Amino acid sequence: MDNNYKQRIDQILNEVGLINDLNIKYDILTYMEQQAGFMLWQIEEEKHIDNDTQNL
Protein backbone atom coordinates (compact mmCIF):
# COMPACT_ATOMS: atom_id res chain seq x y z
CA MET A 1 0.00 0.00 0.00
CA ASP A 2 1.19 3.48 -0.81
CA ASN A 3 2.65 5.19 2.27
CA ASN A 4 0.65 8.38 1.54
CA TYR A 5 -2.59 6.44 1.93
CA LYS A 6 -1.38 4.93 5.20
CA GLN A 7 -0.51 8.38 6.52
CA ARG A 8 -3.90 9.79 5.56
CA ILE A 9 -5.70 6.87 7.20
CA ASP A 10 -3.56 7.24 10.33
CA GLN A 11 -4.36 10.96 10.47
CA ILE A 12 -8.09 10.24 10.37
CA LEU A 13 -7.80 7.54 13.03
CA ASN A 14 -5.72 9.83 15.25
CA GLU A 15 -8.33 12.56 14.85
CA VAL A 16 -11.11 10.14 15.79
CA GLY A 17 -9.03 8.99 18.76
CA LEU A 18 -9.06 12.56 20.11
CA ILE A 19 -12.86 12.63 20.35
CA ASN A 20 -13.93 12.50 23.99
CA ASP A 21 -17.56 11.61 23.43
CA LEU A 22 -17.57 7.81 23.31
CA ASN A 23 -20.95 7.66 21.58
CA ILE A 24 -19.74 9.85 18.72
CA LYS A 25 -16.45 7.94 18.50
CA TYR A 26 -18.38 4.65 18.38
CA ASP A 27 -20.71 5.96 15.67
CA ILE A 28 -17.80 7.18 13.55
CA LEU A 29 -15.87 3.92 13.85
CA THR A 30 -18.98 1.86 13.16
CA TYR A 31 -19.66 3.93 10.05
CA MET A 32 -16.06 3.52 8.89
CA GLU A 33 -16.30 -0.24 9.44
CA GLN A 34 -19.54 -0.45 7.44
CA GLN A 35 -18.11 1.57 4.57
CA ALA A 36 -14.91 -0.50 4.50
CA GLY A 37 -16.93 -3.73 4.54
CA PHE A 38 -19.07 -2.54 1.65
CA MET A 39 -16.00 -1.50 -0.35
CA LEU A 40 -14.38 -4.91 0.27
CA TRP A 41 -17.56 -6.64 -0.89
CA GLN A 42 -17.56 -4.54 -4.08
CA ILE A 43 -13.92 -5.42 -4.78
CA GLU A 44 -14.62 -9.12 -4.27
CA GLU A 45 -17.51 -8.91 -6.72
CA GLU A 46 -15.29 -7.14 -9.27
CA LYS A 47 -12.64 -9.86 -8.86
CA HIS A 48 -15.25 -12.57 -9.46
CA ILE A 49 -16.44 -10.81 -12.60
CA ASP A 50 -12.85 -10.43 -13.83
CA ASN A 51 -12.10 -14.09 -13.14
CA ASP A 52 -15.27 -15.20 -14.92
CA THR A 53 -14.42 -13.02 -17.92
CA GLN A 54 -10.90 -14.47 -18.15
CA ASN A 55 -12.25 -18.03 -18.01
CA LEU A 56 -14.40 -17.55 -21.12
Side-chain angles (χ1 to χ4, degrees):
M1 179 189 326
D2 185 308
N3 196 44
N4 290 329
Y5 289 122
K6 286 182 181 181
Q7 289 177 349
R8 289 171 55 191
I9 292 167
D10 288 344
Q11 286 175 328
I12 292 169
L13 291 175
N14 287 333
E15 187 175 332
V16 171
L18 296 175
I19 297 171
N20 291 325
D21 187 317
L22 294 179
N23 290 322
I24 292 173
K25 189 183 291 189
Y26 180 85
D27 288 344
I28 291 169
L29 293 173
T30 300
Y31 177 75
M32 290 172 68
E33 181 181 37
Q34 290 170 347
Q35 293 300 331
F38 179 70
M39 290 178 77
L40 286 170
W41 174 80
Q42 285 180 313
I43 290 171
E44 289 172 1
E45 288 299 310
E46 289 176 19
K47 282 183 178 181
H48 289 296
I49 291 169
D50 284 347
N51 288 340
D52 290 346
T53 303
Q54 290 175 3
N55 291 334
L56 292 179

